Amino acid sequence: DINMYATTYIKAKDVADAVSHLNESDEGKLLAGGQTPIPTLKQRLASSDRLIDLTDAGLSGISDEGSSMRIGAMTRHVEVETSDLVKKAIPALATLASGIGDRQVRNCGTIGGSVANNDPSACYPSALLALGATVHTDKRDIAAGDYFTGMFETALDEDEVITAVNFPKPEAASYVKFPNPASRYAMVGVFVAKTSSGVAVAVTGAGQDGVFRHDGLEAALNGSFSADSVDGVAVDDSVLMSDMHASADYRAHLITQMTKRAVATC
């Protein structure tokens, strides 16, 4: 049964219209793909006096910018998964998108919604961090390293709207995750990217503060870009999550194994 708190639904004409409605409400929420907020509202775990739908705000689309790929905030996961542009320029992104949730989630969920929510087990944050992406908003551009500030926390202001994400093209990249068999969220996901400035390793699904880069794994791979080079790298489990799905120690083990698989498939 649906037993949501009363709310007003508004379909924004564009970003300016969405921001205007957001500023006029006390507890207004932006609605992208709705894969997190709708279940939360239905379970009465949150309330909002105004839901502002961004579907018609002109924020979807994928374009090749030469040295980077620009993906609009309202671009659905399935569009990233099936995009020939993405498959050619950054195939690891297409692979990542193909493993999110199930078919219904991929046909509804959006990259902007995922990045704005910053779930600690979401896949996209690892891609942003490893690739050195830039989050574009209606106000400014935010480097991925400055954007993610903690579990479910970002650098976004309350009235700020993500418009697109720009991903620099790597020399090689791969994303491998160990999914929860029910939700398909990452119990551990590792995105490895090799660029002209070095190797980046970003981990999702494991950190107590959400997505993070691992200095030890990066140092090992910068020394020798091979799966065997990460053997013996220490992964501190004191900063990792422990829950009914996996202990912190098990997640530490998975981080090493997922990294090895990612490197092997780059």
Side-chain angles (χ1 to χ4, degrees):
D1 293 338
I2 297 176
N3 192 26
M4 295 169 59
Y5 293 105
T7 187
T8 299
Y9 171 81
I10 298 169
K11 183 167 280 191
K13 297 178 294 185
D14 51 35
V15 174
D17 187 39
V19 173
S20 176
H21 285 296
L22 199 58
N23 288 331
E24 290 172 359
S25 64
D26 294 327
E27 295 182 355
K29 300 292 183 184
L30 296 174
L31 185 65
Q35 298 307 287
T36 296
I38 296 303
T40 303
L41 291 168
K42 287 170 67 175
Q43 295 176 52
R44 288 201 165 199
L45 297 175
S47 65
S48 175
D49 63 345
R50 194 174 302 193
L51 285 177
I52 306 157
D53 192 340
L54 296 171
T55 300
D56 293 339
L59 298 179
S60 64
I62 299 171
S63 60
D64 191 323
E65 305 288 306
S67 62
S68 63
M69 294 295 300
R70 185 182 180 93
I71 303 179
M74 287 296 290
T75 305
R76 294 171 296 133
H77 306 320
V78 69
E79 295 174 276
V80 178
E81 173 188 359
T82 59
S83 168
D84 289 336
L85 287 176
V86 175
K87 288 179 181 178
K88 180 179 179 180
I90 316 177
L93 264 185
T95 298
L96 179 152
S98 72
I100 295 175
D102 54 24
R103 185 171 297 178
Q104 178 175 322
V105 169
R106 293 193 295 275
N107 275 278
C108 294
T110 65
I111 185 171
S114 175
V115 173
N117 190 46
N118 190 22
D119 189 292
S121 295
C123 296
Y124 272 119
S126 66
L128 268 70
L129 207 54
L131 291 169
T134 299
V135 178
H136 300 289
T137 79
D138 61 319
K139 295 182 177 182
R140 55 184 169 150
D141 299 333
I142 311 172
D146 299 322
Y147 176 81
F148 300 106
T149 59
M151 188 179 291
F152 292 108
E153 298 291 334
T154 72
L156 290 174
D157 295 333
E158 290 188 2
D159 62 346
E160 194 167 9
V161 181
I162 297 175
T163 56
V165 181
N166 193 276
F167 294 92
K169 296 178 183 178
E171 295 175 6
S174 181
Y175 177 69
V176 177
K177 75 172 178 178
F178 190 93
N180 181 298
S183 69
R184 310 304 294 174
Y185 270 107
M187 288 169 57
V188 166
V190 176
F191 199 107
V192 173
K194 186 178 183 181
T195 69
S196 58
S197 59
V199 179
V201 179
V203 181
T204 189
Q208 293 178 6
D209 291 326
V211 66
F212 66 94
R213 285 177 59 176
H214 195 281
D215 293 341
L217 292 170
E218 291 180 354
L221 292 171
N222 276 307
S224 173
F225 193 72
S226 66
D228 292 340
S229 68
V230 304
D231 287 334
V233 174
V235 177
D236 182 7
D237 63 11
S238 69
V239 298
L240 303 182
M241 291 190 291
S242 184
D243 54 29
M244 63 182 291
H245 304 295
S247 66
D249 179 66
Y250 185 55
R251 280 188 165 95
H253 172 72
L254 285 176
I255 288 172
T256 300
Q257 295 306 309
M258 296 304 103
T259 302
K260 294 182 70 170
R261 293 184 190 181
V263 172
T265 55
C266 269

